[in-house]
Amino acid sequence: CQLLIQYRMQEFSHQVGAIREGLLSSVPDLVLSLMTWRELEMAVCGKPEIDIEVLKGMTTVNLPATSPLGDWFWAVLHSFTNEDRAAFLAFACGRSRLPARGSTTVLTVNMDATRGDVHCPTSHTCMLTIELPAYSSEEVLRERLIYAIHNCREIDNDCVSSGQLSEELAAPTAPGEE
């Protein structure tokens, strides 16, 4: 019984040692020993709260000057809960938090004028880029973005190969209409 307990207690020693070695290559041992787990989490992962103004400063928006899409985009993100903001970042960048330390660019937003209201936004997580179709209203943008961030979990895929929502999602019927 004691041998089993000893084995289980040291079962991952090699893996934990490798993690520690990697961490110590970035953070000196003395500094690491002074940090709480919360301070270490913040240093490695960033804050769990996503400040839209900070995200704005890390985002390059490449939209036509005459398009209201940029204003709608930021209004929608401002209206999101922190959970939705984290889902948005995961959809667009592959991470659910902003970097712990300042970064020049986290995200680039482009418009795809060839797609419209029936299409979801497309993300390219490796390139930190999101492409927004030329939506006709802020409400359509909100609906499609919410759908995409919570339902499109495939990297570099916007749910279906054509990028178009099914007819049921694109034009929902009112209750009782069939």
Side-chain angles (χ1 to χ4, degrees):
C1 184
Q2 285 294 49
L3 286 176
L4 178 61
I5 292 171
Q6 183 179 359
Y7 170 77
R8 295 299 299 218
M9 293 297 290
Q10 296 176 7
E11 179 173 22
F12 298 104
S13 294
H14 180 71
Q15 293 87 342
V16 170
I19 292 170
R20 180 174 169 73
E21 183 181 328
L23 190 55
L24 291 176
S25 71
S26 297
V27 181
D29 192 21
L30 179 62
V31 173
L32 184 62
S33 65
L34 296 174
M35 297 176 93
T36 67
W37 70 267
R38 290 180 198 265
E39 291 168 332
L40 180 60
E41 178 188 30
M42 288 287 290
V44 173
C45 302
K47 293 181 184 178
E49 298 81 28
I50 298 161
D51 183 335
I52 294 300
E53 295 307 314
V54 172
L55 178 60
K56 249 186 188 181
M58 298 176 167
T59 302
T60 302
V61 179
N62 298 321
L63 300 172
T66 58
S67 172
L69 197 55
D71 292 334
W72 295 342
F73 173 73
W74 291 115
V76 167
L77 287 183
H78 270 289
S79 74
F80 278 3
T81 64
N82 198 65
E83 182 181 311
D84 288 337
R85 291 173 183 180
F88 168 76
L89 276 180
F91 172 75
C93 304
R95 61 180 298 154
S96 60
R97 296 183 183 191
L98 292 173
R101 293 177 184 85
S103 175
T104 54
T105 300
V106 169
L107 178 64
T108 300
V109 179
N110 298 318
M111 183 172 82
D112 183 350
T114 65
R115 299 182 319 140
D117 286 353
V118 297
H119 296 91
C120 284
T122 303
S123 67
H124 305 283
T125 54
C126 293
M127 300 300 291
L128 305 175
T129 302
I130 185 168
E131 295 174 7
L132 299 174
Y135 292 124
S136 62
S137 72
E138 183 178 325
E139 190 53 38
V140 172
L141 169 60
R142 178 185 321 283
E143 289 172 8
R144 298 301 181 255
L145 192 54
I146 286 283
Y147 181 84
I149 66 176
H150 290 293
N151 295 290
C152 302
R153 300 290 184 183
E154 298 295 323
I155 293 177
D156 288 335
N157 186 3
D158 61 347
C159 299
V160 291
S161 60
S162 69
Q164 187 168 334
L165 294 173
S166 67
E167 288 184 28
E168 304 88 51
L169 292 173
T173 57
E177 291 181 16
E178 305 268 329

